[in-house]
């Protein structure tokens, strides 16, 4: 119930292509869904986030699609660039806003080939 | 640079030992979070402090403890270390207790031999 399942584990995309990473959850009490980007040797950094009352959120080349009934959400990276090569984590907040406890997916290593 | 600092950057120690990891949050942030990142377990939430008080607890082992001091810096104490405790330990901070934007530090890499 406290899990977030992320797929694929790794992804290779050509420059200019679309990268899609999927996550699924079971706990309907999760109320906030961020995506974090992590480069080697660095800490994760918040990329984009969404609340369950919104079906889509777009920031530049990054879009989150959220399907509340299916309990799934995904990250789309349009026009993928070599600089996007990193590990991406989806997460869900457990605690209804009273805490910042985040449950993370296992991560997806993205490689964008020039 | 997130504004969160962690020391030390690397730590090598032996099984059975005790270590202390230190974190200074971004200026003005009242919440501090500790996460453990390992290859097999991924990124795991350990504990959250908000303005000196424990706010949330994850799967933190009894051998591990943390505290947040009046100046808001935090320490994570790991004792009776085992090989399996080898991991990256991240500290994050956020302004409030809801943690909607958590700023992660660069991490402390712990190696237990």
């Amino acid at each position: 119930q406290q899990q977030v399942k992320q797929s694929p584990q790794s992804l290779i995309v050509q420059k200019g292509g679309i990268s899609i990473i999927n996550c699924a959850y079971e706990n309907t009490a999760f109320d906030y869904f961020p995506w974090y980007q992590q480069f080697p040797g660095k800490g994760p950094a918040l990329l984009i986030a969404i609340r369950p009352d919104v079906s889509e959120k777009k920031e530049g080349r990054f879009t989150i699609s959220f399907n509340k009934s299916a309990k799934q959400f995904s990250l789309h990276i349009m026009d993928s660039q070599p600089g996007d090569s990193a590990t991406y984590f989806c997460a869900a907040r457990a605690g209804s806003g009273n805490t910042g406890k985040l449950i993370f997916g296992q991560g997806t290593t993205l490689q964008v080939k020039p | 640079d997130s504004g969160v600092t962690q020391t030390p950057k690397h730590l090598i120690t032996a099984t059975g030992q005790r270590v202390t990891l230190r974190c200074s949050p971004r200026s003005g942030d009242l919440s501090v979070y500790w996460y453990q990142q390992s290859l097999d377990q991924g990124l795991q939430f350990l504990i959250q402090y908000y303005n000196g008080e424990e706010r949330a607890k994850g799967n933190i082992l009894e051998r591990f403890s943390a505290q947040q001091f009046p100046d808001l810096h935090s320490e994570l104490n790991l004792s009776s270390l085992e090989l399996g405790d080898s991991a990256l330990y991240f500290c994050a901070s956020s302004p409030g207790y809801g943690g909607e934007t958590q700023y992660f530090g660069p991490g402390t890499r712990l190696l237990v031999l």
Side-chain angles (χ1 to χ4, degrees):
Chain A
Q1 273 259 328
Q2 288 284 319
Q3 276 189 328
V4 177
K5 293 182 181 178
Q6 184 172 344
S7 64
Q9 194 171 355
S10 62
L11 184 59
I12 300 175
V13 171
Q14 289 295 126
K15 179 182 172 183
I18 302 174
S19 304
I20 301 174
I21 305 170
N22 301 299
C23 286
Y25 64 99
E26 288 294 324
N27 192 337
T28 55
F30 290 162
D31 67 342
Y32 173 74
F33 300 87
W35 285 87
Y36 279 79
Q37 179 188 56
Q38 185 178 26
F39 292 103
K42 304 286 187 184
L46 179 65
L47 190 61
I48 187 172
I50 198 166
R51 295 181 186 279
D53 54 350
V54 175
S55 61
E56 185 174 283
K57 183 172 181 182
K58 184 174 180 178
E59 286 184 4
R61 296 185 294 109
F62 301 91
T63 300
I64 301 178
S65 297
F66 192 89
N67 186 328
K68 190 174 180 178
S69 60
K71 289 183 277 188
Q72 294 174 350
F73 58 111
S74 59
L75 175 70
H76 295 237
I77 306 174
M78 312 300 286
D79 186 27
S80 298
Q81 299 296 313
D84 297 332
S85 297
T87 300
Y88 292 82
F89 294 92
C90 62
R93 183 174 65 181
S96 303
N98 289 320
T99 78
K101 177 180 178 179
L102 293 179
I103 309 297
F104 281 87
Q106 285 296 97
T108 296
T109 302
L110 170 66
Q111 182 185 357
V112 181
K113 290 196 164 183
Chain B
D1 183 6
S2 66
V4 177
T5 60
Q6 288 186 248
T7 57
K9 209 174 174 84
H10 302 277
L11 200 47
I12 302 174
T13 187
T15 54
Q17 295 298 304
R18 173 189 167 96
V19 297
T20 297
L21 312 184
R22 183 187 167 102
C23 168
S24 291
R26 289 187 332 145
S27 177
D29 284 359
L30 298 179
S31 271
V32 168
Y33 311 81
W34 286 98
Y35 292 89
Q36 181 192 58
Q37 185 174 38
S38 60
L39 280 173
D40 55 344
Q41 295 288 326
L43 203 52
Q44 299 273 318
F45 171 84
L46 295 177
I47 198 162
Q48 175 192 1
Y49 278 84
Y50 174 73
N51 205 19
E53 299 288 327
E54 183 182 304
R55 189 80 188 186
K57 216 166 183 175
N59 296 328
I60 186 167
L61 299 171
E62 283 191 16
R63 300 184 285 109
F64 295 2
S65 66
Q67 54 183 326
Q68 185 180 28
F69 295 87
D71 68 352
L72 301 177
H73 91 272
S74 177
E75 291 180 359
L76 178 67
N77 298 296
L78 315 176
S79 61
S80 302
L81 284 166
E82 301 175 0
L83 296 178
D85 297 328
S86 296
L88 258 173
Y89 290 85
F90 286 106
C91 167
S93 73
S94 70
Y97 53 73
E100 293 196 352
T101 302
Q102 295 185 25
Y103 298 88
F104 280 72
T108 292
R109 185 173 291 279
L110 173 67
L111 181 58
V112 183
L113 299 174

